[in-house]
Amino acid sequence: MSAAPGADRVPLAGADEAGPAGSSTGTLGGRAETTVAHNHLMAGLLGQRDELLRLVESSFPDTRIVVQGNLITVEGPEAERVARLFDELVLVLESGQALDAAKVARTIDMVREDLRPSEVLNVEVVRGARGRPVRPNTAGQKRYTDAIASSTITFGIGPAGTGKSYLAVALAVQALQSRQVNRIILTRPAVEAGERLGFLPGDLMAKVDPYLRPLYDALFDLLEPEGAQRLLDRGTIEVAPLAFMRGRTLNSSFIILDEAQNTTPEQMKMFLTRIGFGSKCVVTGDVTQIDVAGGRSGLIGLEKVLGFIEGISFVHLSRRDVVRHKIVADIIDAYEHAERPAPPGAAADVDHGG
């Protein structure tokens, strides 16, 4: 196992595992050590008043962590895993990123799955407004961006807050800036969550525009409002309801269908058959938030129909990929638990009044 460039594993007496040249890894009786090479990294690694260190300690309650200068000693059944966690966090710091509680928590999740967080968090998708880099924040988001890069059509399916739409728009902007495509087309079905478009003032575009706002927000964040507006005015970026796609062939375009769970099967087929030469398509949706009449979603069961076709990828994101406030992931968990069928023989809840 390789150590981070800024953090060298210290071999322990009796160590039985060696890393590549220039580093060594060892455990003895559930003990591991890591030395952080540079003093300035220690403050970022441990956090203000050691808050990030305490987060790691609370996540591995059976592990004892001792910090002496730049030497971190870990003891316990998961000593090697925790030492590797510190190595990965150092790599993230060395890439110029700051650590916070949310990023450390996601890094812990990835290390527990035997993944390399530095290979996820250090990938740059595109540079947004004012040079701010856009990166995947979770392993699921990395799989999603990799699938978009390598596939003609990618389906990103998962709950709210997993970055499905934002990352798709970011990759669309990157493709436009690198001249891989000539235009970006953003669309979504005109289906409302319990509301009726007919009661809203204005023509169809004026009525649908509020429902396309999340896509506009992502564009403005990545390109700044003035730059995004110029591209919209030129038609280089087109934002339109799904109904406007009928009868068109979309060549040399990066097409994003958002909120695809609210398409009907007929609409989904219509949309997918619009894709022309030199185009790439991303379809995003959350199958737990279906508003289409009768629940006839064009996204349900689609993987069984199209999953075998070369050039089509399906990526499923989960609550682990939620990058909004932690409470959003907790809410998703609570709803999933409530909707899970009770096991056979389980007693039903009884309202005793009161």
Side-chain angles (χ1 to χ4, degrees), residues 4 13 37 53 98 125-126 163 173-174 186 215-216 220 227-228 253 260 278 306 311-312 342:
L53 175 61
V125 174
V126 68
V173 169
Q174 189 273 334
L186 310 176
L215 300 177
Y216 280 115
F220 292 161
S253 304
L306 303 179
I312 296 181

Side-chain angles (χ1 to χ4, degrees), residues 16-33:
D16 57 5
E17 184 181 338
S23 68
S24 56
T25 300
T27 60
L28 179 64
R31 186 170 183 266
E33 293 181 351

Side-chain angles (χ1 to χ4, degrees), residues 209-247:
D209 198 61
Y211 299 96
L212 298 167
R213 183 51 53 186
L215 300 177
Y216 280 115
D217 290 343
L219 275 177
F220 292 161
D221 188 44
L222 290 160
L223 296 170
E224 293 194 334
E226 297 81 6
Q229 193 59 55
R230 279 196 301 272
L231 294 174
L232 286 163
D233 291 342
R234 292 179 196 159
T236 304
I237 298 178
E238 177 183 347
V239 186
L242 182 60
F244 285 17
M245 300 297 110
R246 190 175 301 277

